[in-house]
Amino acid sequence: MNNEDLKFIWGKHNNGEHITIDEEKLIDYIENNYYGIKKAVERRKWIESLAAVFVIFFFVYLAVTGNNLLIRIGSLIIVFSALLVIYKMQKYNPHKKSNYGNSIFENIKESLTILRSEANFLNSVLYWYILPFQIGIIMFFLSFELNIFTLLLIIFSMLVSAIIYYLNINLVKKTIKPQIEVLEKNLKILTEE
Amino acid sequence: MEKDQLFLSVLKENKGAISRLCSVYTNNKQDFEDLFQDVLLNLWNSLNSFQNKSSLSTWVYRVALNTCLNYKRDKSKTLKQASLNIAIKTIVDFTKSSEKALETKALYDCINTLKDIDKSIIVLYLEDLPYKEISKIVGISENHVSVKIKRIKILLKNCLKQKL
């Protein structure tokens, strides 16, 4: 079988005639529904930020009016950590995609950069999300009378933090790292002589 | 030309090529349709960034192949799903081997044994694109493209010999 035979077999098989496209419906869907979903995601991001702003106002109020030092310091730490979370979340875009109009080589490199920064972002969740918030919450609870109820609240908050940490680390290990490995392998195949 | 008109003309001219590329990277009708839809959405989204630095067909191949290569990774993240089925219908399931002639089935089977990146390169060659265009789409030198195609063709022909 020569090269022209291969090209002939390839071209004759599937010329797209088996796909029918309703052009009007397609454009209508893309222009309305698709961007509608994107808008919904943006809206959700704003609602999350608004919730964080509400938390900030509440704890700023406690930091100013709190009747002991622990509640004031705890509240300030919570405010600081909420601001840090907002900043990090606004900087990080989980739906960011590489430019599909680039060459395959450039696209792989760009995708690798995105995935590596995603992995770094999730791997560092302990330092910018869990620890500051956890320290603030513990100080806040300790400012109240120490009894079984406050102790249970502290344990519960620590448990939630541990679950959040595990989910993030697991996502990196099970999903992102294998994808990085595939892209690195593809890049190696492309560049090897 | 307005964006939607340009998009539809791109689609009309390249529907066959997009369909062939998608069928190499999928094994069933559902995945084929999902990937085909992904390519269309990425073409639409990338249309604004098309800068006439390359020909429109080169750009279409780039978007389509990048989407195919990223398909598994992006599958969990995509915002759409299913709704484009209202506008797009696949009459024949070309991912089913019964729909293919023997030699076509053999060719597809052999392409399927290749690495994803090698698939992209050989598919562009089979689409009858000149090495210069392939080099622009893949992002490696023309010499490198010709060396790679030579190697992949040997693999492909050996595989076909066994199958036919």
Side-chain angles (χ1 to χ4, degrees):
Chain A
M1 195 178 279
N2 64 35
N3 299 338
E4 292 312 309
D5 290 339
L6 282 178
K7 288 180 185 176
F8 177 73
I9 296 168
W10 171 258
K12 76 168 183 184
H13 163 59
N14 174 352
N15 55 13
E17 278 173 6
H18 63 297
I19 302 168
T20 57
I21 298 174
D22 184 327
E23 295 180 348
E24 207 176 309
K25 279 184 182 168
L26 179 67
I27 295 295
D28 182 59
Y29 170 76
I30 290 179
E31 285 184 341
N32 298 314
N33 300 42
Y34 183 63
Y35 287 108
I37 296 168
K38 282 186 104 173
K39 273 181 197 164
V41 172
E42 282 298 312
R43 212 178 300 132
R44 200 181 69 191
K45 210 170 166 183
W46 274 106
I47 290 170
E48 282 168 0
S49 295
L50 274 176
V53 168
F54 177 77
V55 169
I56 288 170
F57 272 113
F58 177 71
F59 283 100
V60 163
Y61 174 76
L62 285 180
V64 175
T65 59
N67 52 9
N68 66 51
L69 196 61
L70 263 182
I71 199 168
R72 287 182 169 201
I73 296 173
S75 299
L76 275 178
I77 293 174
I78 291 170
V79 169
F80 164 75
S81 63
L83 286 171
L84 196 61
V85 170
I86 293 175
Y87 169 73
K88 283 274 190 182
M89 293 302 280
Q90 292 294 332
K91 236 178 101 178
Y92 168 72
N93 178 4
H95 295 291
K96 193 177 176 185
K97 283 182 180 176
S98 46
N99 184 354
Y100 284 94
N102 281 342
S103 70
I104 293 174
F105 182 75
E106 286 167 339
N107 187 270
I108 292 175
K109 281 209 311 192
E110 209 181 335
S111 300
L112 260 176
T113 309
I114 291 170
L115 278 178
R116 281 177 184 146
S117 70
E118 204 172 326
N120 287 339
F121 176 79
L122 296 173
N123 274 331
S124 63
V125 79
L126 182 69
Y127 306 105
W128 60 266
Y129 180 52
I130 294 172
L131 271 183
F133 202 72
Q134 195 57 52
I135 292 169
I137 284 286
I138 289 174
M139 288 180 87
F140 179 77
F141 285 141
L142 286 177
S143 67
F144 300 104
E145 189 187 339
L146 193 63
N147 55 31
I148 189 75
F149 182 66
T150 47
L151 209 63
L152 278 174
L153 278 176
I154 289 171
I155 291 169
F156 177 72
S157 71
M158 287 171 88
L159 202 68
V160 171
S161 295
I163 291 169
I164 293 171
Y165 179 69
Y166 170 78
L167 289 175
N168 282 285
I169 296 299
N170 201 42
L171 183 68
V172 174
K173 196 177 157 191
K174 294 269 168 68
T175 312
I176 299 175
K177 262 196 171 172
Q179 290 172 358
I180 288 176
E181 281 165 15
V182 169
L183 287 174
E184 283 173 342
K185 215 167 97 185
N186 284 346
L187 204 59
K188 202 179 157 202
I189 295 168
L190 265 185
T191 49
E192 72 191 359
E193 289 292 331
Chain B
M1 196 188 282
E2 286 209 7
K3 187 181 176 182
D4 48 357
Q5 284 174 318
L6 179 63
F7 173 71
L8 289 174
S9 78
V10 164
L11 188 55
K12 211 175 240 172
E13 280 169 33
N14 298 281
K15 194 170 77 168
I18 296 169
S19 168
R20 285 190 291 275
L21 300 191
C22 292
S23 61
V24 163
Y25 286 91
T26 51
N27 298 315
N28 60 61
K29 194 180 172 207
Q30 183 60 51
D31 278 354
F32 172 84
E33 286 177 351
D34 282 351
L35 181 55
F36 190 83
Q37 290 175 17
D38 267 4
V39 173
L40 298 199
L41 290 171
N42 285 331
L43 281 171
W44 173 270
N45 286 332
S46 308
L47 211 50
N48 292 335
S49 58
F50 174 65
Q51 292 169 329
N52 281 315
K53 282 181 186 169
S54 57
S55 71
L56 201 57
S57 71
T58 303
W59 176 81
V60 170
Y61 278 113
R62 277 181 172 183
V63 175
L65 279 174
N66 282 325
T67 309
C68 290
L69 287 166
N70 288 347
Y71 175 61
K72 283 177 202 158
R73 180 163 65 85
D74 286 344
K75 210 173 171 183
S76 56
K77 283 186 181 178
T78 39
L79 300 168
K80 44 103 228 169
Q81 289 307 329
S83 308
L84 266 183
N85 289 338
I86 299 166
I88 300 169
K89 298 255 184 297
T90 313
I91 301 160
V92 183
D93 181 4
F94 271 114
T95 58
K96 271 189 187 163
S97 53
S98 58
E99 300 291 347
K100 296 173 188 161
L102 183 70
E103 47 192 10
T104 315
K105 182 189 175 319
L107 178 61
Y108 267 77
D109 285 349
C110 289
I111 292 173
N112 259 327
T113 63
L114 299 172
K115 292 165 186 162
D116 278 352
I117 289 290
D118 289 345
K119 274 185 199 174
S120 308
I121 295 170
I122 200 65
V123 159
L124 293 171
Y125 169 78
L126 292 171
E127 287 286 315
D128 213 14
L129 296 184
Y131 284 7
K132 198 177 171 187
E133 287 291 291
I134 299 177
S135 124
K136 277 183 191 168
I137 294 165
V138 181
I140 55 177
S141 71
E142 266 183 78
N143 276 344
H144 204 160
V145 167
S146 91
V147 172
K148 282 200 168 289
I149 288 178
K150 220 177 203 174
R151 277 189 206 149
I152 302 168
K153 271 197 303 193
I154 292 170
L155 289 174
L156 211 54
K157 284 180 180 173
N158 285 340
C159 173
L160 282 167
K161 249 184 216 170
Q162 288 175 346
K163 293 207 180 269
L164 293 172

